[in-house]
């Protein structure tokens, strides 16, 4: 079976399981149980593969917990970041899931043990709270212990049936793909709330390529509004043959989504020492100041949300916002995220940020921030995308590409809202690889493409009051039918002659009748 066929079968199976076991519970509310169980199976098999080390004489799941020495445990935690005893492995819990009257409490004890195994080790912060949203006592599982256990057992047995093949035979991508497939489906069915934490993979791919274009290696990559980590992971896929030297960094304000992002890193085989995802409000409480600068930044921050802004008088002196001389409006934090990203960007790096279109033409503080960005020559490209590409919103969003190493003083504008730059599907439009390749080709060459791409000198943008709306610079194609005036006049004259002749004929007929 090909990997593509296997992936398709797995995706169909796992979505069927997710829907079958949730019963009347909303899928969005139930997602952490399915995702958490898939993650539990993954780390169990990942850890087993590490302990066995390819030795066919070792069968870790069958060993007694008593044979595990403190030295084995210490070495494993230093390498993997956590420890799982044989009795705590997914495969052993799954064997008795249907008959275990203490399943929900046993699972809680196991999850607590896995998390606490990292206490005192460098991985502690990366492991702590991973299972916090997998609440085995939740009423979403049922009103009685028996109902909770039955629902948990159904999820566990369903995930157990999924065929990922032998762990050491490249099924790591299948685990990660299955996880992202689930997250994407949950987001697609959750409306606006889903779009707030998941960027569709096809859009993520474009953003990652824009941020890392032309670089053979980057020091590290950062997402200040990390969501479930989908943008960072697209960067990993794009850079498989290159090097992201110090790993993947991000900050996320939502606790559940923060846990999803960390699980997502593990599921894509990114070890704890190669990622650093933190919890908190990026604008109010940035926690990765000591990690900057970054050669690549990718982000799809929430559109036009409220933030503390001028209510905190110290914000105007914040080193992220002070250079612009003005704060983003309190009711529209978009440019606060942009200035944050610019501050974190290295002198050789790029940032690709999804933005609400209004920030590129509105006046007031936003116009002043645009002036700072243009006069500082930080804006490389602005790309207007097709509508309906994201979950939870149908608006045609814009990608802003920032750079600190431009070799000219021009800003590129690209309009890819035309139907030749996306594929229409039932619920959402999407970018196929051929569309992404076209966009990247224009971004790379900076060549003029009539009605699609143009580069404008920053002085002209200044003369236009620092309006950065793509439609102000890319002339829309006139699809009206072209009319040849000379030919039209000939036709009109011919028609007039015919009418005159008809009138003459009618007059002649009338005269005969009257006679």
């Amino acid at each position: 079976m090909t990997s593509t066929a296997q992936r398709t079968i797995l995706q169909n199976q796992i979505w069927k399981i997710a829907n079958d076991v949730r019963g009347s519970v909303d899928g969005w509310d139930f997602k952490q149980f399915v995702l958490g169980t898939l993650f539990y199976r993954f780390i169990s098999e990942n850890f087993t593969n590490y302990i066995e080390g390819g030795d066919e004489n070792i069968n870790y799941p069958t060993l007694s917990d008593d044979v595990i020495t403190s030295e084995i445990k210490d070495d494993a935690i230093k390498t993997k970041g956590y420890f799982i005893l044989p009795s705590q492995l997914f495969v052993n819990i799954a064997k008795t899931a249907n008959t275990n009257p203490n399943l929900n409490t046993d699972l809680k004890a196991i999850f607590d043990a896995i998390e606490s195994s990292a206490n005192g080790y460098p991985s502690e912060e990366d492991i702590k709270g991973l299972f916090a949203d997998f609440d085995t006592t939740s009423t979403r599982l049922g009103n009685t212990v028996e109902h909770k256990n039955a629902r948990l057992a159904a999820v566990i047995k369903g995930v157990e049936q999924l065929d990922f093949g032998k762990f050491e035979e490249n099924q790591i991508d299948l685990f990660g793909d299955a996880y992202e497939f689930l997250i994407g489906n949950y987001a697609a069915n959750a409306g606006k709330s889903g779009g707030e934490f998941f960027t569709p993979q096809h859009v993520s791919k474009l953003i990652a390529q824009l941020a890392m274009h032309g670089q053979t290696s980057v020091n590290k990559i950062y997402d200040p509004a990390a969501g479930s980590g989908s943008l960072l992971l697209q960067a990993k896929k794009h850079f498989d043959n290159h090097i992201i030297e110090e790993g993947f960094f991000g900050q996320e304000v939502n606790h559940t989504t923060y846990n999803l992002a960390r699980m997502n890193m593990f599921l894509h085989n990114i070890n704890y020492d190669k990622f650093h995802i933190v919890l908190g409000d990026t604008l109010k409480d940035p926690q990765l100041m000591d990690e900057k600068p970054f050669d690549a930044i990718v982000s799809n921050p929430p559109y036009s949300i409220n933030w503390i802004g001028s209510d905190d008088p110290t914000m105007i002196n914040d080193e992220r916002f002070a250079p612009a001389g003005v704060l983003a409006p309190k009711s529209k934090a978009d440019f606060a995220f942009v200035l944050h990203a610019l501050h974190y960007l290295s002198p050789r790096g790029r940032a690709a940020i999804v933005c609400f279109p209004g920030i590129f033409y509105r006046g007031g503080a936003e116009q002043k921030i645009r002036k700072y960005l243009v006069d500082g020559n930080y804006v490389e490209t602005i790309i207007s995308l097709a509508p309906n590409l994201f979950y939870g919103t149908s608006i045609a969003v814009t990608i802003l590409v920032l750079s600190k190493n431009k070799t000219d003083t021009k800003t590129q504008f690209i309009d890819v809202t035309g139907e030749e730059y996306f594929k229409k599907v039932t619920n959402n439009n999407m970018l196929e690889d051929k569309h992404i390749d076209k966009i990247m080709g224009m971004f790379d060459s900076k060549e003029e493409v009539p009605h699609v791409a143009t580069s404008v000198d920053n002085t002209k943008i200044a003369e236009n009051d620092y309006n950065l709306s793509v439609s102000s610079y890319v002339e829309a194609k006139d699809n009206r039918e072209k009319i040849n005036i000379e030919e039209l006049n000939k036709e009109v004259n011919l028609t007039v002659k015919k009418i005159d002749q008809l009138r003459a004929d009618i007059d002649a007929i009338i005269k005969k009748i009257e006679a």
Side-chain angles (χ1 to χ4, degrees):
M1 184 186 301
T2 65
S3 59
T4 301
Q6 187 179 8
R7 183 178 290 107
T8 301
I9 291 171
L10 273 172
Q11 290 176 348
N12 291 336
Q13 286 177 337
I14 200 166
W15 190 239
K16 184 177 186 302
I17 291 166
N19 283 318
D20 287 348
V21 298
R22 69 180 174 87
S24 60
V25 183
D26 183 84
W28 183 251
D29 293 332
F30 198 72
K31 69 181 182 302
Q32 50 262 49
F33 300 109
V34 179
L35 292 168
T37 302
L38 183 65
F39 176 70
Y40 174 36
R41 177 178 166 180
F42 170 82
I43 62 170
S44 292
E45 294 187 17
N46 185 305
F47 191 79
T48 297
N49 186 60
Y50 164 74
I51 291 291
E52 292 178 351
D55 189 339
E56 295 181 357
N57 296 316
I58 301 176
N59 187 346
Y60 187 64
T62 65
L63 296 180
S64 167
D65 291 353
D66 296 336
V67 304
I68 305 302
T69 65
S70 59
E71 289 81 7
I72 293 174
K73 187 173 182 180
D74 183 66
D75 287 344
I77 298 172
K78 287 176 179 176
T79 302
K80 300 301 294 180
Y82 58 91
F83 196 89
I84 306 178
L85 291 167
S87 65
Q88 298 170 335
L89 293 168
F90 174 88
V91 65
N92 287 327
I93 295 301
K95 286 178 182 177
T96 60
N98 287 328
T99 57
N100 182 358
N102 303 312
L103 180 61
N104 68 325
T105 54
D106 285 351
L107 281 174
K108 184 181 187 315
I110 289 170
F111 297 157
D112 288 346
I114 293 172
E115 290 181 14
S116 63
S117 70
N119 289 350
Y121 288 86
S123 59
E124 181 175 352
E125 290 302 313
D126 297 308
I127 305 297
K128 182 185 294 183
L130 268 176
F131 291 97
D133 295 295
F134 198 133
D135 182 4
T136 62
T137 65
S138 172
T139 55
R140 289 177 180 139
L141 292 168
N143 293 322
T144 67
V145 173
E146 289 76 14
H147 289 157
K148 289 179 175 64
N149 286 341
R151 187 68 61 78
L152 285 169
V155 178
I156 288 170
K157 298 303 287 187
V159 171
E160 181 190 35
Q161 294 168 15
L162 297 173
D163 181 14
F164 289 104
K166 292 183 179 180
F167 193 91
E168 64 275 10
E169 294 177 358
N170 299 319
Q171 94 308 326
I172 290 172
D173 285 340
L174 292 177
F175 264 108
D177 287 345
Y179 191 78
E180 285 206 55
F181 168 79
L182 271 175
I183 294 177
N185 269 26
Y186 281 128
N189 286 277
K192 183 178 179 181
S193 57
E196 289 175 352
F197 84 100
F198 183 78
T199 304
Q201 287 194 20
H202 55 100
V203 184
S204 297
K205 185 173 184 178
L206 172 61
I207 295 167
Q209 290 193 28
L210 287 167
M212 298 191 296
H213 179 68
Q215 302 198 66
T216 56
S217 67
V218 296
N219 62 349
K220 45 197 171 182
I221 187 165
Y222 169 58
D223 186 345
S228 61
S230 57
L231 275 170
L232 291 173
L233 289 166
Q234 275 299 324
K236 176 183 182 293
K237 292 179 181 179
H238 182 62
F239 250 62
D240 273 346
N241 297 321
H242 304 296
I243 300 171
I244 297 177
E245 295 165 351
E246 298 174 46
F248 305 79
F249 295 74
Q251 184 161 341
E252 170 57 36
V253 69
N254 181 282
H255 192 277
T256 297
T257 311
Y258 157 70
N259 285 334
L260 289 178
R262 292 190 295 162
M263 288 183 180
N264 218 355
M265 294 294 119
F266 280 111
L267 278 157
H268 285 82
N269 209 34
I270 300 174
N271 208 36
Y272 77 90
D273 57 348
K274 281 294 184 180
F275 75 84
H276 189 27
I277 310 292
V278 295
L279 177 66
D281 186 325
T282 295
L283 300 180
K284 187 177 179 181
D285 183 27
Q287 296 182 34
L288 295 173
M289 279 287 196
D290 293 338
E291 301 291 350
K292 65 178 177 63
F294 295 88
D295 289 344
I297 296 176
V298 291
S299 192
N300 179 17
Y303 309 142
S304 301
I305 60 168
N306 295 326
W307 76 301
I308 193 166
S310 57
D311 283 347
D312 182 350
T314 67
M315 277 294 181
I316 193 60
N317 298 317
D318 188 299
E319 59 184 330
R320 296 170 296 168
F321 312 125
V326 65
L327 295 172
K330 289 189 296 182
S331 62
K332 300 176 181 68
D334 309 75
F335 266 128
F337 282 104
V338 170
L339 292 173
H340 172 93
L342 181 65
H343 182 69
Y344 276 56
L345 192 62
S346 76
R348 63 180 288 249
R350 276 195 184 95
I353 308 165
V354 180
C355 299
F356 182 77
I359 72 170
F360 294 104
Y361 57 80
R362 292 190 296 236
E366 292 180 319
Q367 182 186 37
K368 293 177 182 177
I369 294 173
R370 293 196 303 272
K371 180 181 186 303
Y372 164 69
L373 294 174
V374 172
D375 289 350
N377 200 30
Y378 296 126
V379 182
E380 180 174 3
T381 301
I382 300 174
I383 305 172
S384 181
L385 294 178
N388 210 29
L389 289 173
F390 292 79
Y391 302 126
T393 180
S394 61
I395 63 172
V397 300
T398 302
I399 297 178
L400 169 64
V401 182
L402 300 174
S403 174
K404 288 184 176 179
N405 63 350
K406 289 172 62 180
T407 57
D408 60 25
T409 55
K410 293 183 177 182
T411 298
Q412 183 187 36
F413 296 88
I414 300 177
D415 182 345
V416 284
T417 58
E419 292 188 6
E420 66 270 34
Y421 294 102
F422 66 93
K423 178 182 179 181
K424 287 188 174 183
V425 291
T426 305
N427 296 318
N428 284 82
N429 294 326
M430 70 174 295
L431 302 174
E432 295 183 319
D433 285 349
K434 64 180 180 182
H435 303 132
I436 294 173
D437 290 343
K438 286 181 181 178
I439 296 170
M440 290 305 302
M442 291 184 285
F443 175 73
D444 175 60
S445 69
K446 299 293 190 288
E447 292 179 358
E448 296 285 317
V449 180
H451 311 297
V452 179
T454 189
S455 291
V456 179
D457 194 274
N458 289 344
T459 56
K460 290 187 177 180
I461 295 174
E463 291 169 2
N464 196 22
D465 294 327
Y466 296 96
N467 186 327
L468 289 175
S469 176
V470 173
S471 61
S472 296
Y473 302 98
V474 178
E475 182 183 0
K477 188 174 183 179
D478 188 349
N479 291 316
R480 294 175 298 179
E481 181 183 356
K482 291 184 178 180
I483 298 173
N484 187 316
I485 299 299
E486 291 183 0
E487 291 297 324
L488 180 62
N489 286 334
K490 288 180 181 179
E491 290 180 13
V492 170
N493 290 333
L494 182 61
T495 301
V496 169
K497 287 180 181 179
K498 287 180 179 180
I499 290 172
D500 290 342
Q501 183 61 48
L502 282 170
R503 284 174 176 167
D505 293 343
I506 292 170
D507 288 344
I509 293 171
I510 291 173
K511 285 181 180 179
K512 286 181 180 180
I513 293 172
E514 290 177 343

